[in-house]
Amino acid sequence: MLVIGLTGGIGSGKSTVAKLFAAKGVPIIDMDQIARQVVAAGQPALAQITREFGTAVLDSDGQLDRRKIRALIFESAEKRHRLEAILHPLIRQETQHQLTELDTAYCIVVIPLLLESHQQPLVDRILVVDVPETLQISRTMKRDGVSAEAVKKILHAQTDRNSRLAAADDVIDNAVELAKVRDRVAELDQQYRTMAEIAD
């Protein structure tokens, strides 16, 4: 099975692109969703995070407050690395489990921090969703209700746009109208199916 790693900076539109592939019947494994599962109440990861960072990162229901933890880890690289050391092995393990359950020509694994967390060995090709930084900032501000400064801190912690594009096998420009993005997805879908057939 051909494994495509879909990545892109914050606010680039990875979810939109993943939905377009899903509409073509392509299985999607989303590491962000897996990250939410492993930190759910009652999961060992949440207890570890609470021990590491204190109960201040929990909301009133005892769930992980994603906004609080995000603010905390983007203030400090050291805290970010501590959180990643807890989460990344669990997320990788669950991703690999989900991959073994699939029987399909190819699949998409959405990995927001593919390059930052050195997950390249998990995938056969890297598909980057690309938009200019100004668009990343405005989209994230609108979506998350945060300041431009907060978004810039996240951008600063992520791989820069040029490095991401240099690592890409394929690119989707998501600064254009949706119809063009849909056409590009259709083109890549055919390409990946052909590649999977050849590899088979």
Side-chain angles (χ1 to χ4, degrees):
M1 179 178 65
L2 187 69
V3 179
I4 309 298
L6 189 154
T7 194
I10 190 167
S12 58
K14 296 179 291 296
S15 299
T16 300
V17 170
K19 282 175 190 164
L20 292 173
F21 275 103
K24 294 198 164 290
V26 181
I28 309 292
I29 297 173
D30 189 333
M31 279 199 176
D32 250 1
Q33 287 178 8
I34 293 171
R36 284 186 174 88
Q37 290 164 19
V38 301
V39 298
Q43 293 294 322
L46 187 61
Q48 278 182 271
I49 291 167
T50 310
R51 276 198 302 274
E52 193 73 35
F53 298 102
T55 54
V57 296
L58 303 177
D59 64 18
S60 55
D61 298 325
Q63 305 273 1
L64 186 68
D65 188 317
R66 289 173 70 84
R67 191 169 288 193
K68 282 181 188 170
I69 195 82
R70 182 186 272 182
L72 192 71
I73 63 170
F74 287 113
E75 288 292 333
S76 158
E78 183 261 336
K79 285 178 182 170
R80 188 168 73 251
H81 295 319
R82 275 160 52 198
L83 181 69
E84 288 168 353
I86 296 169
L87 294 181
H88 285 178
L90 296 169
I91 295 167
R92 195 175 289 122
Q93 186 182 359
E94 177 57 25
T95 301
Q96 285 172 326
H97 169 69
Q98 290 189 24
L99 283 169
T100 60
E101 300 281 294
L102 292 176
D103 180 19
T104 183
Y106 85 95
C107 74
I108 300 275
V109 184
V110 184
I111 314 177
L113 301 176
L114 191 155
L115 300 172
E116 295 86 343
S117 55
H118 310 292
Q119 308 254 30
Q120 293 94 321
L122 193 64
V123 304
D124 299 307
R125 287 181 79 79
I126 296 173
L127 170 58
V128 168
V129 182
D130 180 58
V131 297
E133 201 171 276
T134 50
L135 200 50
Q136 285 182 267
I137 294 167
S138 61
R139 282 180 179 175
T140 307
M141 285 171 69
K142 187 177 175 185
R143 183 191 70 192
D144 296 349
V146 293
S147 69
E149 281 311 305
V151 184
K152 283 175 184 173
K153 276 181 185 167
I154 296 168
L155 285 172
H156 183 67
Q158 293 184 342
T159 298
D160 67 90
R161 185 184 181 192
N162 289 338
S163 301
R164 204 162 32 237
L165 288 171
D169 295 296
D170 306 296
V171 177
I172 291 180
D173 176 3
N174 198 23
V176 297
E177 58 266 32
L178 186 60
K180 286 187 177 174
V181 179
R182 194 177 280 117
D183 289 346
R184 177 66 175 140
V185 166
E187 182 188 317
L188 286 170
D189 177 59
Q190 282 303 116
Q191 179 187 319
Y192 296 151
R193 290 179 192 278
T194 303
M195 289 173 78
E197 273 176 36
I198 293 166
D200 197 25

